[in-house]
Amino acid sequence: MESMIELVPVFKEKIWGGRKLETEFGYKIPAGPVGECWAISAHPAGDDQIASGEYAGQTLSWLWDNHRELFGNVEGDRFPLLIKIIDAKDDLSIQVHPDNAYAAEHENGSLGKKECWYVLSAEPGQTIVVGQRAHSREEFAQMVEEGRWSELLNEIPIKAGDFFQIDPGTVHAIKGGTVILESQQSSDVTYRVYDYDRKQDDGTLRPLHLQQALDVIDFDQVPLASGEVELTGAVTTLEHNECYTVDLARVGVDGCPDTLTVATPHPFTCVSVVEGAGTLNGRAVKKGTHLLALASCDELQLSGAMQVVLSYL
């Protein structure tokens, strides 16, 4: 039985995308502005194929539907996580995501979108938008109408290694010059509040969704001040919630040992090498390698000099 599979990523052209997925990660990407690498995905909008082995050519959703034993027979009608790399050459829209209940009712039974960001690189002086300062939908709508963005939006300075949990209802925007690894629920529902009046190639504006956004924004949320992470040895838990846990594992860097064994008693573990190179369970890996460790994989043996993000239920 296979214990680990590699997937063929799906790439998404985006108005705000760049070319770093090619220049920094070595992916073969389409021409034009490419903003997203859907590295581990079974979502209908980007269902990754299995790259090699017994199930080569099948999709991850097919594997989930037909061989649930490989995922420890965990319940659920769809593979629940989606791992992306986002290359923001320009600013993303000001946006917000719904929770499971709102998405199920208003978005054809979709999951909501809880997500988190591990910042891989950011240009000096760059900021990110996480949260907003209005206290009611009326106040928010008025500030949008009057274009009072600097008062409304909570902007935070960022650098590589910062981490942000973005709960449904959180107004947010990644700014240009930033590359992040995103672990999220398998959902593609985004409500745009503002898109800088920029035109697409055909001269049209991308649609906005202010009414849905006003429905889902959490007006009680206290805006964050920082994405600073306190590292706790070779493995640091960045986030733990009812949808996922995300850990950062480091080997051969910052005084961490150059070999490390991490137990993986989970139905599956999404493994993303975000910096450096080495071996993983005897397989050569480097920045940009993503693997899906299945239920039969009891542990990850890491060696080399690298940083690896692990995401699991």
Side-chain angles (χ1 to χ4, degrees), residues 16-17 25 50 52 61 64 82 93 97 105 170 177-178 180 193 195 207-208 212 221 256 271 282 294 301 303:
W16 42 260
F25 293 87
I50 297 163
S52 59
S61 68
W64 176 263
L82 172 51
S93 61
H97 304 303
E105 184 180 343
T170 306
T178 308
I180 68 162
V193 175
D195 198 34
L208 301 179
Q212 295 99 316
Q221 202 178 57
C256 295
V271 182
L294 301 169
Q301 295 179 332
S303 65

Side-chain angles (χ1 to χ4, degrees), residues 59-312:
T59 61
L60 181 54
S61 68
W62 177 90
L63 196 68
W64 176 263
D65 290 340
N66 290 282
H67 288 285
R68 194 62 64 88
E69 74 280 1
L70 296 177
F71 304 90
N73 290 311
V74 67
E75 291 180 3
D77 63 352
R78 67 201 97 185
F79 184 78
L81 299 185
L82 172 51
I83 311 300
K84 294 179 186 173
I85 295 177
I86 296 181
D87 169 23
K89 181 168 184 273
D90 295 315
D91 296 355
L92 273 69
S93 61
I94 311 296
Q95 57 186 244
V96 63
H97 304 303
D99 62 12
N100 287 340
Y102 189 94
E105 184 180 343
H106 298 276
E107 300 292 344
N108 303 320
S110 171
L111 291 174
K113 193 169 172 188
K114 189 186 281 266
E115 65 186 29
C116 61
W117 303 335
Y118 182 69
V119 180
L120 302 182
S121 65
E123 286 174 7
Q126 192 48 277
T127 61
I128 208 157
V129 173
V130 181
Q132 58 80 41
R133 297 192 182 89
H135 297 100
S136 68
R137 65 184 288 153
E138 294 75 22
E139 184 184 7
F140 188 95
Q142 185 177 354
M143 292 176 85
V144 169
E145 171 98 0
E146 295 169 2
R148 290 155 58 196
W149 299 108
S150 60
E151 283 176 72
L152 177 61
L153 300 175
N154 184 54
E155 281 197 54
I156 307 167
I158 58 160
K159 62 184 185 321
D162 283 356
F163 178 83
F164 299 93
Q165 170 58 32
I166 309 292
D167 286 331
T170 306
V171 173
H172 60 276
I174 301 165
K175 306 286 289 284
T178 308
V179 180
I180 68 162
L181 180 86
E182 179 171 276
S183 302
Q184 59 159 92
Q185 286 181 277
S186 185
S187 171
D188 198 30
V189 181
T190 294
Y191 298 142
R192 284 190 211 103
V193 175
Y194 182 54
D195 198 34
Y196 319 103
D197 301 319
R198 61 184 160 194
K199 294 193 166 111
Q200 304 182 89
D201 288 346
D202 63 2
T204 60
L205 302 172
R206 295 199 296 173
L208 301 179
H209 317 93
L210 184 59
Q211 289 313 307
Q212 295 99 316
L214 290 170
D215 285 347
V216 304
I217 290 169
D218 178 359
F219 293 104
D220 297 326
Q221 202 178 57
V222 178
L224 288 174
S226 164
E228 190 84 31
V229 172
E230 190 176 332
L231 297 171
T232 54
V235 180
T236 300
T237 296
L238 300 171
E239 173 63 20
H240 174 67
N241 61 50
E242 76 283 1
C243 294
Y244 49 72
T245 298
V246 179
D247 295 335
L248 175 67
R250 299 176 301 148
V251 291
V253 293
D254 301 333
C256 295
D258 47 20
T259 60
L260 176 67
T261 300
V262 180
T264 49
H266 320 298
F268 62 86
T269 305
C270 302
V271 182
S272 300
V273 181
V274 295
E275 199 58 63
T279 64
L280 176 62
N281 291 14
R283 174 195 299 241
V285 295
K286 63 183 188 342
K287 178 178 176 174
T289 299
H290 302 268
L291 297 165
L292 182 58
L294 301 169
S296 60
C297 180
D298 296 327
E299 61 182 30
L300 302 175
Q301 295 179 332
L302 309 171
S303 65
M306 57 183 179
Q307 301 192 51
V308 181
V309 174
L310 310 174
S311 308
Y312 51 90

